[in-house]
Amino acid sequence: MSGALLRVRCRGGAFVLSALVLTSCGGGGEGIIVVPPNPVSVSMSPTTATVDIGATTSFSVSISGGSPTPTLSTCSSSNSAVATAATNGSSCVATGVSAGSASITATTTGGQTANAQVTVAAAPPALTAFTLTPPTASVAIGQTVALNATPTGAAGATVTVSYVSGSTAVASVSAAGVVTALSVGTSVITATAQGTGSGLTTASLVRTATITVTADPCVPIAATLPIGRSASVTAGSCPLAGTTRGGGDFYRVTLPTAAAVQVSIAPTGFAPYIAALPVGQSEFIFNSGPTPQIVSARWHLPAGLTELRVGAAAPGGTGNYSLEVQQVSPSVENCAEVNVGGPVNSNQTLQATDCLSAGFFSDEFLLFSSRPCVITMSAGTTGVPMADPFLVVTGDTVAFNDDGGGGTSARIALPSCRSASNNVLRVSASSFAVGDVGTYSINFQFMSPAEADAANAALVTSSALRSATDKGPRASMSRMVEAMRSRDWLSHIGVDTVRRDR
């Protein structure tokens, strides 16, 4: 029989004292008493618990039995990378470190132990989603494209995005995600989003965008006259005039002397646009058509470099076209409208087949510039000269001049060679005499921008008509001027104007 043994002296007979059992005692003398055991009991409450990373949970340690009863000595963790343990009075305190499970052990001063299980819950990720747009893009050398990074973070998270170009020679990328095309080729832009935060799991997500760099579509095409070329207008073609026009091509032609140039485009699939601009000019006239039809225009251009713009009239237009550009006779015939693209001095012949208004023949020139200009018309020095040159400029108002009557020249000075409503001016080279024809010279001379700034914005009207006694021609001329004033020139010829934006 197990238990503690006590030796006692007996007097009388056997007896039971409390839990002590007398096992042997004869009429007197001594006997043996067995004392039952008193084991130590250790337990932890609760036996299982869940805790977040960085948070704590407490396990109460209960100890009983023993003589004397032991006390809590240490608390330990089976995996300190998941949770740590420490004593706190009569408890074990577990602290979550990382997601997982660990056993927390309580040890008494007598060496007895008890265990509890702790589960450390994973913290929510600081970053839950990440998109990068566009995933692919095609840009020309020198152009840029902005990448749009959209990370989704948990509440309280701090999210940062960084960018790296796979080929810095092809494309560079800024800290803000703006890609700049540098050379022809392909570069993969890698965007990395990282989220951090208290009580959150640090998380990173990676997205990529493939950037294809093409040659610059806006690089002008060097050409010599005559030009005969077929080409295409695509979504990647160079914008001809900001966002107001479609895309197309730029051609550059150098004229050794002032010349008249005919530009024609035959489009397929888009409404066409053509323009001629002497390099250095700030504004110009363009011609366009509302449907896929052939558009042709004649320009009187000064010597030097001229840029031709050819393509779609409306944004988004695509298709094919054929282009013809050739030098032509500067003569203005058959009521054609001629664009003036810079300083021009041209010898002309007014004929009975030219434009006719109220009995007066005229050649028509279109003019658009913010600079002041002087227009001079004189009787020709060859062939049969005109009897009496006369100039009329039609816009929002009308300016006219025949140099005081009876003379052989006319002159109009304009502080701005476009209308007050920012539109095209029509210059009619005519005669004061009904039915007058013959040779003449016309000169367009532009002043400097400084002179333009100092000039008055209103059209200058010089009406040096004949005396009141010359009623016949004067009355007819008044009718001609009024007819020019009321005519809707722009809708008639399909001409519009824009500022140069490159």
Side-chain angles (χ1 to χ4, degrees), residues 165-306:
S165 172
S167 178
T168 55
V170 173
S172 64
V173 61
S174 72
V178 178
V179 180
T180 301
L182 302 176
S183 64
V184 174
T186 300
S187 179
V188 176
I189 307 299
T190 301
T192 302
Q194 184 176 60
T196 59
S198 177
L200 301 171
T201 301
T202 298
S204 295
L205 293 174
V206 176
R207 299 291 183 266
T208 60
T210 301
I211 307 299
T212 301
V213 180
T214 60
D216 184 0
C218 293
V219 172
I221 301 169
T224 57
L225 298 183
I227 299 174
R229 185 173 185 267
S230 296
S232 298
V233 176
T234 68
S237 294
C238 183
L240 296 175
T243 59
T244 62
R245 297 291 161 185
D249 295 315
F250 290 71
Y251 297 84
R252 285 199 167 181
V253 177
T254 298
L255 300 176
T257 60
V261 174
Q262 187 81 20
V263 183
S264 300
I265 178 175
T268 301
F270 60 88
Y273 167 106
I274 58 175
L277 174 68
V279 172
Q281 296 277 7
S282 60
E283 293 155 311
F284 62 97
I285 305 170
F286 66 76
N287 295 71
S288 61
T291 59
Q293 62 187 21
I294 297 176
V295 169
S296 182
R298 179 171 295 190
W299 296 78
H300 278 211
L301 299 170
L305 193 61
T306 288

Side-chain angles (χ1 to χ4, degrees), residues 20 58 69 76 80 105 119 142 147 159 166 214 260 263 320 361 375 448:
L20 303 179
S58 183
T69 300
S76 61
S80 59
T105 301
T119 299
L147 298 179
V159 180
T214 60
V263 183
N320 302 317
F361 298 110
I375 308 167
S448 69

